[in-house]
Amino acid sequence: MDDQTQVREFLVSRRGRLTPEQAGLPAFGTTRRVTGLRREEVAMLAGVSVDYYVRLERGNLSGVSEGILEALSRALQLDEAERGHLFDLARTANASPVTRRRTPSQRVRPVVQRVLDSVDAPAWVRNGRGDFLAANVLGRALYSEVFRDPARPANTARFTFLSPRARDFFVDWEGTADAAVSILRAEAGRNPHDKALTDLVGELATRSDEFRIRWAAHDVSYHRTGSKKLNHPVVGELELSYEGMELTADVGLTLFVYSVEPASISAERLALLASWALSEDEEARRTAAEAVTEA
């Protein structure tokens, strides 16, 4: 993932979606050669010269100030996630080679696992690539379909786009697919030189037209809270709410906890899933103990 290409395509995509009317500009005439705003219109709105904006849109963010980035964000009407992505792209462009080689933590500390195990609800930890790094028993049970695939670490984006079971598992597959790509695109802005991320994006782009179309859109968003419907093969459809909490001591890792509406059908089904998960966990422990004894 080339840094300048990411910058160029992101700015062009944001400019292309914004009409003069949305930007508060008069639309002279009825024929425009470009969709969205012209470069000179963005430059005017941001308070910079056309030449300087052209330089930025060509992917050169070297030395750009926070003030210019803020002006661009306002001119292009970027939301919080898009603004953060632009700043990440600029940070990468101005980072030293040593800084660029730093990668976020990909290990879950024992204390975090203990926190997961103490939560009486499905809970798991992922990195920016969507790798499933740790979970409690109920979290693994909830996403048991993801773990059926042999690739490790289990990855939610890979499952979404490459598993034939994903469209049954995710009730809103389209929304889930959009979210998965926006997470990866945001991570690419933060860590474009992460080889594991580059390999994952390459694999998905090669094997999935659905992924490739979404990747080209350069959409990013934050997924801190929301709702999700899953069609679990053991208990049926579950309607859940989730909260995502960044682990401040472990850069790049996010802990997710799911809940259901009390006294709802989903609550009944989640309780049934918990019973099934415990029985499966006990069976796995017993099998492992027997294997050790026989050895």
Side-chain angles (χ1 to χ4, degrees):
M1 286 171 284
D2 178 73
D3 299 344
Q4 289 193 337
T5 300
Q6 283 208 86
V7 174
R8 181 176 65 252
E9 293 181 351
F10 178 67
L11 290 178
V12 169
S13 69
R14 299 310 94 170
R15 176 167 62 84
R17 71 175 184 178
L18 196 61
T19 66
E21 292 79 8
Q22 290 172 323
L25 298 175
F28 298 108
T30 58
T31 303
R32 292 174 65 90
R33 293 182 179 180
V34 297
T35 58
L37 296 180
R38 299 185 177 99
R39 291 187 180 93
E40 55 266 29
E41 290 170 331
V42 176
M44 180 186 67
L45 290 168
V48 300
S49 71
V50 176
D51 287 344
Y52 186 70
Y53 177 71
V54 169
R55 169 201 154 190
L56 298 178
E57 195 174 274
R58 284 175 177 167
N60 185 0
L61 294 184
S62 177
V64 66
S65 69
E66 288 192 6
I68 294 297
L69 294 176
E70 290 287 4
L72 266 183
S73 298
R74 291 191 297 270
L76 295 171
Q77 299 183 16
L78 304 185
D79 62 21
E80 182 187 5
E82 292 166 335
R83 176 189 173 278
H85 186 57
L86 178 61
F87 273 73
D88 285 336
L89 293 173
R91 193 174 298 114
T92 297
N94 291 282
S96 68
V98 173
T99 303
R100 288 185 178 189
R101 286 196 294 268
R102 293 176 182 171
T103 56
S105 171
Q106 305 305 327
R107 290 188 176 184
V108 173
R109 291 176 291 122
V111 66
V112 176
Q113 184 64 60
R114 290 198 296 272
V115 169
L116 289 171
D117 294 336
S118 69
V119 176
D120 188 24
W124 63 293
V125 173
R126 70 157 171 81
N127 57 21
R129 296 191 298 270
D131 290 336
F132 211 112
L133 298 182
N136 60 11
V137 172
L138 191 49
R140 290 182 67 88
L142 183 66
Y143 279 95
S144 58
E145 284 293 274
V146 179
F147 286 97
R148 284 181 58 187
D149 293 334
R152 290 294 182 271
N155 181 275
T156 52
R158 183 183 290 110
F159 172 77
T160 300
F161 287 99
L162 301 185
S163 173
R165 302 185 307 279
R167 290 180 183 269
D168 290 331
F169 184 66
F170 296 117
V171 176
D172 178 16
W173 184 89
E174 295 286 342
T176 300
D178 291 342
V181 177
S182 70
I183 289 170
L184 291 180
R185 179 56 84 176
E187 182 67 8
R190 288 187 293 268
N191 297 293
H193 307 290
D194 179 357
K195 185 179 184 302
L197 175 63
T198 301
D199 290 346
L200 175 63
V201 170
E203 177 188 6
L204 296 178
T206 300
R207 300 176 61 187
S208 171
D209 291 338
E210 294 274 13
F211 176 86
R212 190 161 51 250
I213 292 169
R214 287 172 168 82
W215 184 254
H218 283 264
D219 290 333
V220 294
S221 59
Y222 291 141
H223 297 276
R224 298 165 173 162
T225 184
S227 60
K228 190 178 291 288
K229 287 185 178 180
L230 304 178
N231 185 26
H232 198 279
V234 175
V235 299
E237 188 170 307
L238 293 162
E239 186 169 352
L240 306 116
S241 300
Y242 67 85
E243 293 290 326
M245 294 156 278
E246 293 183 3
L247 299 178
T248 54
D250 302 293
V251 176
L253 302 190
T254 304
L255 186 154
F256 288 89
V257 179
Y258 290 79
S259 65
V260 291
E261 192 70 27
S264 64
I265 294 177
S266 290
E268 295 176 3
R269 291 174 177 172
L270 187 62
L272 180 61
L273 182 63
S275 298
W276 175 80
L278 287 174
S279 65
E280 289 290 302
D281 187 56
E282 290 174 1
E283 178 64 25
R285 290 175 183 273
R286 185 163 48 251
T287 302
E290 291 173 353
V292 170
T293 301
E294 291 174 0

